Amino acid sequence: MRPNIVSEAGLQTRMGQWWEGIPILTSAVVVVCGIIYLVCLLVGYDSFAEVCFWPSAVISRFQVYRIFTSILFHGSLLHVLFNMLALVPLGSELERIMGSVRLLYIIVLLAVSNALLHLLIALLVAHNPLHPYPYFMDECAIGFSGILFSMIVMETSLSGAQTRSVFGLFNVPAKWYALILLVVFQLVMTNVSLLGHLCGILSGFAYTYGLFNVLMPGTTFFSAIESSTWLSTCVRRPKFIMCTGGNGAGYLPTHSNQTVTSRSGVLSGNIWENLSSWMPQRESSLSAQPVTDDSRFPGRGRTLSSQITTGNHDSTLQARLLDGSSSPERSSPTATIGGEQNLAGRLSAVDTTATATRPLGQQASIPSDEEVQKLVEMGFEKTQVEVALSAAEGDLNVAVEILMSQQG
């Protein structure tokens, strides 16, 4: 009986660690969709025509609430299970890059854009003069899969991969990955919403190519939300991912915003700053760190060959690893007396050189509680954070690179 007890405890522990590793917004969406399905199952609710996205009802009755209810309800256990299992890796990766509040804004933006595209295409197909086809006007779409297809496009753009595997069966070009998935799902499951998935793909491409940049507020707006009093409980949780410390424009990598500034776009200036000033503020020790890394990446993680432009650091992790012999301790001059090294003079020279050349953030090799807390709030485990900070000699940026490379 003892081995069974041990195996059960191990499985429970692993499940707990897996769940704790999912950021707060992604896990919240999974919980909300799961609870909604269970409640509908227990009370016997199956009138999904009242909550699905139905173009005719949205236009004739102006039932705009369907834009959001349609993404939270699911029609079957397999439907909600498949969507949530797909959401966990996609949402977790995007949330760690963008931050929890920013990802929530993006999900709302994608839901609205998917609905508008759905209405537009349905109207064009139903009222085209050549061959009217009113089927899409009466199609009832439900589920989170439209948002998932948008996330697939965005994550594929982030990954930089040239090819993607379709269920491990065959590889396809990365730029066609989402469209090929759409075709595969239509062939395998004929009852899925073709237009709902297609609009998700179109919204994902629109966001990736920078067409939504005008609707994206700056980091100041998201920082104001994070520092508000009504969100303080969530912000203190380890699973919450802060939006600060990233790209000033608050964008994901796109093909058109390579040189964006912190106020590009019509709505990213005074309007968003005025909205931010209305929100109640709280005192917080979590201050935004000005980072001017590659503007295409709003997250703290960077590739090993990217350059640090904060002014305090002049080398990357790759340079530190490949050129370890160029450290001040190894290249410091030593005094000699009668052909023998003077140990006191050598130690003095090493200390002086290290103090003069080492950034302020690296004066102490023992990580401080504040540094550890900052990285823990970014979603990393405390033990790994302490080890990474020690290996990086207190350099937060290098420690983040080490942690990101371990997760990768």
Side-chain angles (χ1 to χ4, degrees):
M1 294 300 294
R2 186 64 180 177
N4 293 333
I5 296 176
V6 174
S7 62
E8 291 176 2
L11 178 61
Q12 182 179 2
T13 302
R14 290 188 178 186
M15 289 296 296
Q17 292 176 347
W18 172 78
W19 179 254
E20 288 299 323
I22 303 174
I24 188 169
L25 178 63
T26 303
S27 58
V29 173
V30 173
V31 170
V32 169
C33 291
I35 290 177
I36 289 177
Y37 175 76
L38 288 178
V39 170
C40 293
L41 187 65
L42 293 175
V43 302
Y45 180 83
D46 58 355
S47 301
F48 297 117
E50 299 176 355
V51 294
C52 68
F53 188 78
W54 187 0
S56 297
V58 174
I59 295 175
S60 61
R61 305 171 192 172
F62 199 66
Q63 296 177 344
V64 293
Y65 66 86
R66 294 175 178 269
I67 296 176
F68 302 105
T69 57
S70 61
I71 66 176
L72 298 177
F73 284 79
H74 292 79
S76 65
L77 176 61
L78 185 62
H79 188 198
V80 66
L81 184 63
F82 186 84
N83 279 356
M84 295 303 103
L85 288 178
L87 172 65
V88 168
L90 288 171
S92 298
E93 181 176 355
L94 293 177
E95 186 171 354
R96 290 190 180 100
I97 295 174
M98 303 166 63
S100 301
V101 177
R102 183 186 282 121
L103 181 60
L104 177 60
Y105 179 87
I106 294 299
I107 290 176
V108 175
L109 180 62
L110 291 174
V112 174
S113 63
N114 289 356
L116 293 178
L117 287 173
H118 198 137
L119 287 175
L120 178 61
I121 296 176
L123 287 172
L124 290 177
V125 173
H127 300 285
N128 75 88
L130 298 179
H131 182 68
Y133 188 70
Y135 170 77
F136 290 124
M137 291 296 297
D138 296 322
E139 183 184 48
C140 191
I142 194 172
F144 203 80
S145 52
I147 305 294
L148 289 176
F149 269 90
S150 299
M151 288 183 171
I152 290 173
V153 175
M154 294 159 61
E155 192 275 335
T156 302
S157 176
L158 277 173
S159 66
Q162 299 298 321
T163 60
R164 279 296 178 92
S165 174
V166 179
F167 302 114
L169 300 177
F170 55 91
N171 293 331
V172 298
K175 61 182 179 180
W176 300 107
Y177 176 63
L179 292 172
I180 292 176
L181 277 182
L182 173 66
V183 174
V184 170
F185 281 130
Q186 288 300 132
L187 294 177
V188 175
M189 298 175 287
T190 57
N191 62 334
V192 298
S193 174
L194 170 63
L195 192 54
H197 292 171
L198 177 61
C199 291
I201 295 175
L202 295 178
S203 294
F205 277 118
Y207 185 88
T208 302
Y209 280 90
L211 300 183
F212 291 163
N213 287 356
V214 68
L215 301 175
M216 288 298 301
T219 306
T220 305
F221 175 76
F222 297 112
S223 300
I225 297 177
E226 292 171 344
S227 60
S228 59
T229 55
W230 48 271
L231 202 62
S232 59
T233 304
C234 294
V235 172
R236 287 195 294 264
R237 296 182 63 85
K239 298 174 65 172
F240 188 92
I241 309 297
M242 301 289 290
C243 299
T244 55
N247 173 25
Y251 304 138
L252 263 177
T254 67
H255 295 276
S256 61
N257 66 342
Q258 305 294 327
T259 58
V260 293
T261 60
S262 61
R263 291 192 178 185
S264 61
V266 176
L267 299 180
S268 59
N270 294 330
I271 295 179
W272 291 113
E273 292 178 359
N274 292 336
L275 289 175
S276 303
S277 63
W278 297 342
M279 299 178 182
Q281 303 297 314
R282 64 179 177 89
E283 295 182 358
S284 174
S285 60
L286 301 175
S287 58
Q289 298 180 356
V291 178
T292 57
D293 295 336
D294 191 345
S295 62
R296 295 173 297 170
F297 294 88
R300 294 301 305 270
R302 291 173 284 104
T303 57
L304 294 181
S305 60
S306 62
Q307 295 296 327
I308 305 175
T309 59
T310 58
N312 290 331
H313 312 285
D314 299 325
S315 62
T316 61
L317 176 63
Q318 185 180 18
R320 293 170 64 96
L321 295 177
L322 296 180
D323 194 16
S325 61
S326 62
S327 61
E329 291 81 356
R330 297 184 182 181
S331 61
S332 58
T334 58
T336 58
I337 299 178
E340 296 181 0
Q341 294 181 342
N342 186 344
L343 180 59
R346 182 178 61 181
L347 294 176
S348 176
V350 169
D351 294 341
T352 304
T353 306
T355 304
T357 58
R358 186 173 298 175
L360 295 177
Q362 300 181 10
Q363 292 294 334
S365 60
I366 301 177
S368 64
D369 294 338
E370 183 179 358
E371 293 173 339
V372 173
Q373 183 64 22
K374 286 181 180 179
L375 295 182
V376 169
E377 289 171 350
M378 292 174 62
F380 301 112
E381 295 184 1
K382 184 176 181 180
T383 304
Q384 296 179 348
V385 167
E386 293 176 348
V387 174
L389 281 172
S390 299
E393 299 179 353
D395 191 329
L396 287 176
N397 294 285
V398 175
V400 170
E401 290 174 348
I402 296 175
L403 292 168
M404 293 295 291
S405 64
Q406 291 177 351
Q407 289 188 352

